[in-house]
mmCIF file of all heavy atoms in Angstrom:
data_model
loop_
_atom_site.group_PDB
_atom_site.id
_atom_site.type_symbol
_atom_site.label_atom_id
_atom_site.label_comp_id
_atom_site.label_asym_id
_atom_site.label_seq_id
_atom_site.Cartn_x
_atom_site.Cartn_y
_atom_site.Cartn_z
ATOM 1 N N SER A 63 2.285 -6.595 21.695
ATOM 2 C CA SER A 63 1.315 -5.595 21.489
ATOM 3 C C SER A 63 -0.071 -5.973 21.890
ATOM 4 O O SER A 63 -0.355 -7.198 22.022
ATOM 5 C CB SER A 63 1.277 -5.290 19.934
ATOM 6 O OG SER A 63 0.390 -4.221 19.697
ATOM 7 N N VAL A 64 -0.979 -5.005 22.105
ATOM 8 C CA VAL A 64 -2.369 -5.351 22.523
ATOM 9 C C VAL A 64 -3.273 -5.146 21.310
ATOM 10 O O VAL A 64 -4.460 -5.023 21.574
ATOM 11 C CB VAL A 64 -2.734 -4.427 23.753
ATOM 12 C CG1 VAL A 64 -1.967 -4.817 24.941
ATOM 13 C CG2 VAL A 64 -2.632 -2.964 23.391
ATOM 14 N N TRP A 65 -2.776 -4.979 20.074
ATOM 15 C CA TRP A 65 -3.594 -4.857 18.951
ATOM 16 C C TRP A 65 -3.111 -5.758 17.872
ATOM 17 O O TRP A 65 -1.907 -6.131 17.864
ATOM 18 C CB TRP A 65 -3.618 -3.362 18.477
ATOM 19 C CG TRP A 65 -2.364 -2.863 17.983
ATOM 20 C CD1 TRP A 65 -1.311 -2.360 18.736
ATOM 21 C CD2 TRP A 65 -1.904 -2.690 16.666
ATOM 22 N NE1 TRP A 65 -0.303 -1.920 17.916
ATOM 23 C CE2 TRP A 65 -0.647 -2.144 16.667
ATOM 24 C CE3 TRP A 65 -2.506 -3.035 15.407
ATOM 25 C CZ2 TRP A 65 0.090 -1.839 15.492
ATOM 26 C CZ3 TRP A 65 -1.744 -2.799 14.226
ATOM 27 C CH2 TRP A 65 -0.483 -2.184 14.326
ATOM 28 N N ASN A 66 -3.985 -6.117 16.963
ATOM 29 C CA ASN A 66 -3.673 -6.985 15.828
ATOM 30 C C ASN A 66 -4.099 -6.401 14.556
ATOM 31 O O ASN A 66 -5.095 -5.698 14.426
ATOM 32 C CB ASN A 66 -4.394 -8.349 15.970
ATOM 33 C CG ASN A 66 -3.931 -9.132 17.205
ATOM 34 O OD1 ASN A 66 -2.792 -9.328 17.306
ATOM 35 N ND2 ASN A 66 -4.893 -9.415 18.018
ATOM 36 N N LEU A 67 -3.211 -6.642 13.527
ATOM 37 C CA LEU A 67 -3.442 -6.210 12.224
ATOM 38 C C LEU A 67 -4.419 -7.219 11.549
ATOM 39 O O LEU A 67 -4.217 -8.371 11.715
ATOM 40 C CB LEU A 67 -2.185 -6.174 11.395
ATOM 41 C CG LEU A 67 -2.146 -5.455 10.101
ATOM 42 C CD1 LEU A 67 -2.474 -3.906 10.307
ATOM 43 C CD2 LEU A 67 -0.689 -5.547 9.460
ATOM 44 N N GLY A 68 -5.484 -6.714 10.871
ATOM 45 C CA GLY A 68 -6.443 -7.632 10.263
ATOM 46 C C GLY A 68 -6.387 -7.670 8.759
ATOM 47 O O GLY A 68 -5.305 -7.501 8.216
ATOM 48 N N ARG A 69 -7.530 -7.803 8.105
ATOM 49 C CA ARG A 69 -7.658 -7.949 6.650
ATOM 50 C C ARG A 69 -7.504 -6.629 5.944
ATOM 51 O O ARG A 69 -7.784 -5.602 6.479
ATOM 52 C CB ARG A 69 -8.835 -8.719 6.282
ATOM 53 C CG ARG A 69 -10.102 -7.929 6.435
ATOM 54 C CD ARG A 69 -11.325 -8.798 5.981
ATOM 55 N NE ARG A 69 -12.526 -7.919 6.014
ATOM 56 C CZ ARG A 69 -13.006 -7.395 4.884
ATOM 57 N NH1 ARG A 69 -12.492 -7.590 3.730
ATOM 58 N NH2 ARG A 69 -14.087 -6.608 5.050
ATOM 59 N N LEU A 70 -7.194 -6.743 4.665
ATOM 60 C CA LEU A 70 -7.337 -5.516 3.804
ATOM 61 C C LEU A 70 -8.765 -5.162 3.622
ATOM 62 O O LEU A 70 -9.584 -5.984 3.155
ATOM 63 C CB LEU A 70 -6.653 -5.880 2.454
ATOM 64 C CG LEU A 70 -6.769 -4.803 1.358
ATOM 65 C CD1 LEU A 70 -5.918 -3.561 1.798
ATOM 66 C CD2 LEU A 70 -6.320 -5.248 0.033
ATOM 67 N N ASN A 71 -9.168 -3.953 4.021
ATOM 68 C CA ASN A 71 -10.550 -3.597 3.931
ATOM 69 C C ASN A 71 -10.841 -3.041 2.539
ATOM 70 O O ASN A 71 -11.862 -3.428 1.856
ATOM 71 C CB ASN A 71 -10.881 -2.536 5.001
ATOM 72 C CG ASN A 71 -12.352 -2.127 4.887
ATOM 73 O OD1 ASN A 71 -12.750 -1.297 4.101
ATOM 74 N ND2 ASN A 71 -13.092 -2.657 5.850
ATOM 75 N N HIS A 72 -10.018 -2.169 2.014
ATOM 76 C CA HIS A 72 -10.222 -1.616 0.726
ATOM 77 C C HIS A 72 -8.937 -1.017 0.142
ATOM 78 O O HIS A 72 -8.001 -0.680 0.857
ATOM 79 C CB HIS A 72 -11.378 -0.624 0.598
ATOM 80 C CG HIS A 72 -11.101 0.640 1.390
ATOM 81 N ND1 HIS A 72 -11.506 0.856 2.713
ATOM 82 C CD2 HIS A 72 -10.524 1.858 1.049
ATOM 83 C CE1 HIS A 72 -11.226 2.048 3.052
ATOM 84 N NE2 HIS A 72 -10.543 2.675 2.097
ATOM 85 N N VAL A 73 -8.925 -0.784 -1.232
ATOM 86 C CA VAL A 73 -7.914 0.012 -1.873
ATOM 87 C C VAL A 73 -8.726 1.195 -2.466
ATOM 88 O O VAL A 73 -9.714 1.028 -3.130
ATOM 89 C CB VAL A 73 -7.291 -0.823 -3.043
ATOM 90 C CG1 VAL A 73 -6.295 0.041 -3.825
ATOM 91 C CG2 VAL A 73 -6.565 -2.012 -2.517
ATOM 92 N N ALA A 74 -8.160 2.402 -2.170
ATOM 93 C CA ALA A 74 -8.866 3.601 -2.626
ATOM 94 C C ALA A 74 -8.199 4.178 -3.800
ATOM 95 O O ALA A 74 -6.965 4.279 -3.924
ATOM 96 C CB ALA A 74 -8.798 4.624 -1.528
#
Side-chain angles (χ1 to χ4, degrees):
S63 182
V64 294
W65 65 279
N66 295 305
L67 196 60
R69 72 179 187 99
L70 175 68
N71 182 282
H72 66 266
V73 175

